[in-house]
Amino acid sequence: MTDELYSVRMRASEADTYVSGAETITDREGVESTARAMIERALDHPRGDPDDVVVTVDRLAESPMCVSALPVVTVEADSVESGRHVAGRLLADAGVSPSVVDRALAVLGHSTAERGAALLDAETGKRRDPDPERGVRVSRLGTSDRGDEELDRALDAHGLASTRIRDALVLATKVTRAPGVVAELCWSDNPDYTAGYVATRDGYYRFPALKAAGDSQGGRAFFLAPDADVDRTVTFLKERPVVVDTVQSFDQVTPSDLLSG
Ligand code: WAQ
Ligand code: MG
C-alpha cells in the first residue's frame, strides 16, 4: 500500500431508518471506484430503497495496524439449536456469563435495521454503548494488497469465497483486537443468510445456521470485560485503522470436537 491511505465509508437510510452501510480502507487510486461501488450497492439494497446515501472519504491520520486474520473454524452443527449451544459454550469459555449469552441471543433475535453493534458487559449483560439506539459502528478497517490476495486465495480454497464472509472475518479480526472486548456474536439480518459466528481472540467460529431461514432479525453483540474502559474501546473500534495483511488456518470441526475439549 502507498503511504496515503483513505477511509471510505457509506451509510444509507430511508426515512431516517438505517438501510445499509459499508466501510473500507484504500489507497488514493482506489477511492473513486470504491465509493462508486458502495453507492451502487446502497441504491440496490434488498432491505430498502434509500432516500439518503452518505459517503465519507477521509485520509488516515495514522498508519494502520497490520494484523493477521483470525483462524477460521467452521463448526458443522446440523441445527440452529446445536449451533447456538456450541456458540454459547465458546462465549462462556471466553468469559461471558451464561445469562449474558441468553441476553445476547435475545438481543440479536429482536433487532432489525440497527446500524451498529450492541456492547454488553460480559458479566452483567448491561448495555455499555453510549447510544444503544444506534449501537457502535466499527470503521477504518480493511485489507492490504497482500491481505487481499491471501484472503481471496484462502477463502476460495476452502469453499468460502463470499464478500459477506470476507467482510465479517475482517471486522471480527479488528473487533477482537479492541481493548476490553472478549468476544463477538453475530448473525446477519438478511432473511436469506442463516450463517453466523462467534469470534474470540482464538478464532472466528462459523456456524451454518444460528437462525432459521426467512428470519430477518440479526445483528452484532460485542462482549466487554467488566473493567473495560468503554471510551477507549469505542475509540479503537471507530477510529483506529486496522488492516488484515495475512491469513492463518482454516479448519472444520464437529460440535463434539469442541464440546469435549
Ligand atoms: N460495525 C458494527 N456493526 C455492524 C457493522 C459495523 N461495521 N456492520 C454491520 N453491523 C451490524 C448491524 O447491526 C447489522 O444489522 C448486523 O451487524 C448484520 O450485518 O462466516 O452479513 O452485514 O458465513 O447483515 C456473518 C458471516 C455475516 C458468517 C454477517 O452481517 C459466515 C453479516 P450484516
Ligand atoms: Mg454488512
Side-chain angles (χ1 to χ4, degrees):
M1 284 190 147
T2 59
D3 317 342
E4 305 263 276
L5 292 176
Y6 294 78
S7 158
V8 182
R9 44 192 200 280
M10 176 279 291
R11 105 182 114 71
S13 53
E14 183 178 3
D16 288 333
T17 299
Y18 170 81
V19 175
S20 70
E23 43 276 295
T24 194
I25 289 172
T26 179
D27 57 16
R28 172 66 190 86
E29 225 169 89
V31 170
E32 282 143 53
S33 59
T34 302
R36 189 174 315 115
M38 282 182 181
I39 293 167
E40 275 166 18
R41 249 167 80 183
L43 292 176
D44 204 22
H45 202 274
R47 291 184 58 89
D49 183 18
D51 47 42
D52 194 36
V53 178
V54 179
V55 175
T56 305
V57 177
D58 47 27
R59 192 163 62 219
L60 298 184
E62 55 184 328
S63 52
M65 180 192 247
C66 289
V67 301
S68 194
L70 286 171
V72 174
V73 181
T74 298
V75 185
E76 293 164 328
D78 56 11
S79 66
V80 172
E81 293 69 42
S82 151
R84 287 190 178 191
H85 178 68
V86 179
R89 182 65 159 288
L90 290 165
L91 290 170
D93 288 348
V96 181
S97 77
S99 66
V100 179
V101 172
D102 292 342
R103 173 97 207 277
L105 291 168
V107 168
L108 266 60
H110 292 95
S111 66
T112 42
E114 272 183 32
R115 59 186 291 276
L119 263 48
L120 301 180
D121 185 294
E123 219 167 84
T124 65
K126 265 177 66 177
R127 280 293 285 258
R128 303 210 37 206
D129 33 334
D131 184 0
E133 290 286 297
R134 295 154 70 83
V136 172
R137 184 93 194 163
V138 184
S139 189
R140 295 183 171 84
L141 71 173
T143 51
S144 66
D145 289 346
R146 175 168 88 166
D148 240 4
E149 278 168 33
E150 288 203 12
L151 269 172
D152 275 347
R153 197 172 325 118
L155 289 169
D156 198 42
H158 295 90
L160 300 175
S162 114
T163 314
R164 192 181 278 282
I165 297 176
R166 181 200 182 91
D167 288 352
L169 176 58
V170 171
L171 186 141
T173 298
K174 174 169 178 181
V175 168
T176 51
R177 290 280 184 143
V181 172
V182 299
E184 177 188 358
L185 172 68
C186 166
W187 64 81
S188 178
D189 46 27
N190 183 319
D192 302 327
Y193 201 82
T194 60
Y197 67 87
V198 165
T200 69
R201 294 198 175 147
D202 298 332
Y204 176 92
Y205 299 89
R206 36 188 320 275
F207 298 85
L210 283 183
K211 69 168 189 189
D215 184 349
S216 54
Q217 313 212 292
R220 282 184 154 92
F222 303 161
F223 302 92
L224 262 58
D227 63 355
D229 174 343
V230 185
D231 288 345
R232 257 188 93 210
T233 306
V234 171
T235 301
F236 181 97
L237 292 170
K238 287 160 79 159
E239 308 286 345
R240 181 77 177 97
V242 174
V243 299
V244 167
D245 194 41
T246 55
V247 300
Q248 300 187 63
S249 52
F250 285 71
D251 289 303
Q252 292 199 359
V253 301
T254 64
S256 54
D257 291 334
L258 288 176
L259 294 174
S260 60

